């Protein structure tokens, strides 16, 4: 029986148009721009200067605190400078600019295709290698992985869950990772399990990826890996941490709590691959696997992209932008962000570029709320969006906090289900930002 979570959720069409497109490498050229803050936490501090020569995988910016991540050169060449560069929203952020000159790698990086199965390395050494390699969560949040693997005193992770649901419509890069790097994913999972000293490891995959489920299950049986593959019901947002933990471990994460509070740590499947490469291949996180897709896209592709590469070059590799496309989204249609600057550099957490036509981008006319409660039924957290939007519009932040707006995961289920086409998520997102700001600045007792 397929597992799933108990509250809310919606069933948008899969539209996994690029699922059969194998991963292809985009060669480095021109210049790349490496943001100093392409992860949650404090931005990294540069350790290179203008005119320095760098190789692929060389440290160029060092983590400035525990919740921070190292940045490595994704190309070889000359540092042109440290300048403000516009991100996908047009906001300028400091970045290290490197002119590409060849493709020379640091000698300690193992670029062979040989699979290393020896995981006798101890847990603290695994965490150090992950931290040194600048690995962050590749499911979207880009939270430094070594931090997740270091629970606060008194807390213990009994289980590691690998999020391979990829429930967001259109996105297929994680699916391709499982098909093309299956054993590396499994070994990365075992390394994460060992780093946490966890007793159980699970990989949760939605049932619309039967080839990945079967392949990983066969390899686990062949090598007798202590990992369980869990088939999940196709249901959005199945890949949300709280939803995934309930579906697989049967545990509910309380309000304003972390997964480790219920003995679980969740990592993305592409993060598991990055952990394998960092720990056993000495390869820093210098590239991303990005799906470029859309109903009007000229090509449906999954591309391996060096971090810092202009997104315009990624789009060119997929055939360019069709005339019918009026909106480009970084990520999927439910939680992605509109791209206003296609020359923005690729960053560690990006997983997709979605091309949307005029017909699909146009919002339907808003009408009055009819109190149908479909938004309540769809909310996977059990909130009341119709009420929250009214409180957000009136800046009633105390009431919003009392009604648990801070627990919202901004999945968009309420907006998707609303027959009146009310922009519920827009107002809720603004209200949530203010509530979280108030909570963070409140004196601790």
């Amino acid at each position: 029986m397929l597992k799933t979570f108990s509250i809310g959720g919606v069933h948008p069409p899969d539209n996994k148009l690029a699922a059969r497109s194998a991963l292809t490498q985009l060669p480095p050229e021109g210049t790349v721009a490496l943001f100093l803050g392409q992860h949650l936490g404090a931005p990294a501090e540069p350790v290179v200067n203008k005119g320095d020569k760098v190789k692929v995988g060389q440290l160029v910016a060092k983590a400035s605190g525990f919740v921070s991540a190292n940045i490595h050169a994704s190309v070889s060449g000359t540092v042109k400078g440290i300048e403000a560069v516009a991100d996908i929203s047009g906001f300028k952020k400091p970045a290290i600019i490197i002119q590409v000159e060849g493709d020379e790698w640091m000698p300690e990086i193992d670029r062979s295709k040989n699979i290393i199965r020896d995981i006798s390395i101890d847990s603290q050494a695994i965490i150090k290698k992950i931290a040194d390699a600048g690995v962050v969560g590749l499911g979207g949040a880009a939270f430094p992985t070594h931090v997740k693997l270091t629970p606060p005193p008194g807390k213990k992770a009994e289980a590691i869950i690998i999020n391979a649901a990829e429930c967001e419509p259109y996105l297929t890069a994680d699916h391709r990772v499982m098909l093309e790097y299956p054993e590396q994913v499994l070994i990365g999972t075992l390394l994460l399990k060992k780093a946490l000293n966890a007793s159980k490891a699970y990989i949760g995959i939605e049932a619309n990826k039967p080839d990945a489920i079967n392949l990983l299950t066969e390899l686990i049986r062949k090598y007798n890996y202590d990992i369980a593959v869990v088939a999940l019901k196709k249901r959005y947002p199945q890949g949300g941490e709280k939803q995934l933990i309930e579906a697989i471990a049967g545990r509910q994460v309380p309000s304003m709590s972390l997964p480790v509070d219920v003995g679980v740590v969740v990592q993305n499947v592409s993060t598991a691959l990055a952990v394998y490469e960092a720990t056993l291949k000495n390869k820093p996180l210098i590239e991303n696997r990005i799906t470029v897709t859309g109903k009007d896209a000229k090509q449906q592709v999954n591309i391996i992209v060096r971090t810092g590469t202009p997104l315009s070059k990624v789009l060119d590799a997929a055939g360019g932008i069709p005339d019918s496309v009026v909106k480009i989204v970084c990520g999927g249609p439910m939680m992605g962000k509109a791209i206003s600057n296609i020359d923005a550099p690729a960053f560690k957490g990006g997983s997709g570029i979605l091309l949307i036509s005029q017909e699909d981008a146009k919002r339907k006319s808003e009408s009055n709320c009819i109190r149908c409660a479909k938004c309540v039924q769809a909310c996977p957290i059990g909130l009341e969006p119709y009420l929250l939007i009214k409180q957000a519009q009136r800046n009633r932040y105390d009431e919003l906090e009392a009604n648990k707006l801070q627990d919202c995961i901004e999945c968009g289920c309420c907006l998707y289900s609303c027959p009146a086409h009310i922009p519920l998520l827009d107002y809720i997102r603004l209200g949530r930002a203010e509530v979280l700001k108030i909570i963070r600045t409140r004196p601790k007792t």
Side-chain angles (χ1 to χ4, degrees), residues 10 12 41 52 90 139 145 160 183 191 219 224 230-231 242 261 311:
V10 294
D52 287 352
T145 301
I160 175 75
E183 207 174 339
L191 288 165
L219 287 171
N224 197 29
V230 181
K242 291 186 177 183
D261 293 325
L311 295 181

Side-chain angles (χ1 to χ4, degrees), residues 84-416:
V85 175
D87 65 9
I88 60 171
S89 300
F91 295 107
K92 290 195 171 183
K93 300 176 180 177
I96 298 172
I97 315 298
I98 303 174
Q99 177 69 47
V100 178
E101 297 166 359
D103 195 28
E104 186 178 359
W105 290 56
M106 294 293 285
E108 64 268 22
I109 300 175
D110 180 357
R111 300 178 64 193
S112 73
K113 294 184 179 180
N114 297 330
I115 295 176
I116 301 173
R117 301 184 179 89
D118 180 5
I119 59 168
S120 57
I121 181 172
D122 68 66
S123 60
Q124 290 305 309
I126 295 171
I127 295 172
K128 185 179 187 305
K129 284 237 181 188
I130 290 169
D132 289 346
V135 178
V136 301
L138 298 179
F143 192 82
T145 301
H146 69 276
V147 179
K148 268 194 174 184
L149 299 178
T150 313
K155 299 187 185 299
K156 173 76 169 69
E158 301 166 8
I160 175 75
I161 293 179
I162 301 301
N163 181 1
E166 200 167 42
C167 62
E168 183 90 40
Y170 289 97
L171 304 186
T172 57
D174 282 350
H175 186 183
R176 295 310 310 179
V177 163
M178 287 186 281
L179 295 181
E180 298 181 44
Y181 303 90
E183 207 174 339
Q184 293 92 324
V185 165
L186 293 175
I187 297 168
T189 301
L190 292 174
L191 288 165
L192 287 165
K193 179 185 175 187
K194 188 170 186 179
L196 285 164
N197 293 311
S199 57
K200 298 177 182 178
Y202 304 93
I203 300 179
I205 310 174
E206 279 200 330
N208 58 357
K209 306 172 189 65
D211 48 0
I213 293 173
N214 293 335
L215 178 57
L216 294 186
T217 301
E218 289 172 8
L219 287 171
I220 288 170
R221 188 180 299 117
K222 177 180 178 180
Y223 293 104
N224 197 29
Y225 291 146
D226 188 14
I227 303 170
V229 171
V230 181
L232 303 167
K233 184 177 180 180
K234 190 188 77 170
R235 186 180 182 188
Y236 178 86
Q238 190 77 256
E241 278 194 335
K242 291 186 177 183
Q243 289 68 43
L244 195 63
I245 291 169
E246 182 189 359
I248 293 177
R251 304 177 186 182
Q252 293 191 343
V253 181
S255 173
M256 295 300 287
S257 296
L258 298 172
V260 74
D261 293 325
V262 296
V264 178
V265 166
V266 179
Q267 294 285 0
N268 176 265
V269 67
S270 289
T271 308
L273 171 59
V275 165
Y276 164 82
E277 293 180 332
T279 307
L280 302 182
K281 294 283 189 173
N282 297 315
K283 180 182 176 183
L285 184 56
I286 56 167
E287 59 192 13
N288 243 16
R289 290 158 182 86
I290 297 176
T291 303
V292 184
T293 183
K295 293 177 182 177
D296 287 10
K298 293 182 179 179
Q299 299 176 38
Q300 308 290 337
V301 298
N302 296 291
I303 307 179
I304 302 174
V305 180
R306 305 279 182 95
T307 51
T309 301
L311 295 181
S312 55
K313 291 187 179 295
V314 182
L315 288 164
D316 288 343
I321 304 172
D323 293 338
S324 59
V325 168
V326 298
K327 187 174 184 178
I328 304 176
V329 170
C330 179
M334 300 297 287
M335 295 186 74
K337 294 183 178 180
I339 298 175
S340 63
N341 171 32
I342 63 169
D343 290 317
F347 51 93
K348 290 183 179 182
S351 59
I353 300 176
L354 175 60
L355 307 177
I356 303 177
S357 67
Q358 174 73 49
E359 180 182 354
D360 289 337
K362 186 177 180 181
R363 286 199 175 189
K364 295 181 181 180
S365 299
E366 178 183 349
S367 59
N368 292 329
C369 175
I370 59 173
R371 297 296 191 274
C372 66
K374 286 188 176 180
C375 62
V376 178
Q377 295 168 2
C379 180
I381 304 297
L383 304 179
E384 298 176 293
Y386 75 92
L387 172 64
L388 297 174
I389 185 177
K390 297 298 182 184
Q391 294 171 338
Q393 288 171 331
R394 292 167 175 77
N395 300 329
R396 294 179 177 175
Y397 301 125
D398 289 345
E399 294 176 25
L400 287 170
E401 183 179 353
N403 286 308
K404 305 295 183 183
L405 176 62
Q406 58 273 19
D407 290 339
C408 172
I409 60 174
E410 301 183 11
C411 63
C413 286
C414 56
L415 176 61
Y416 181 85

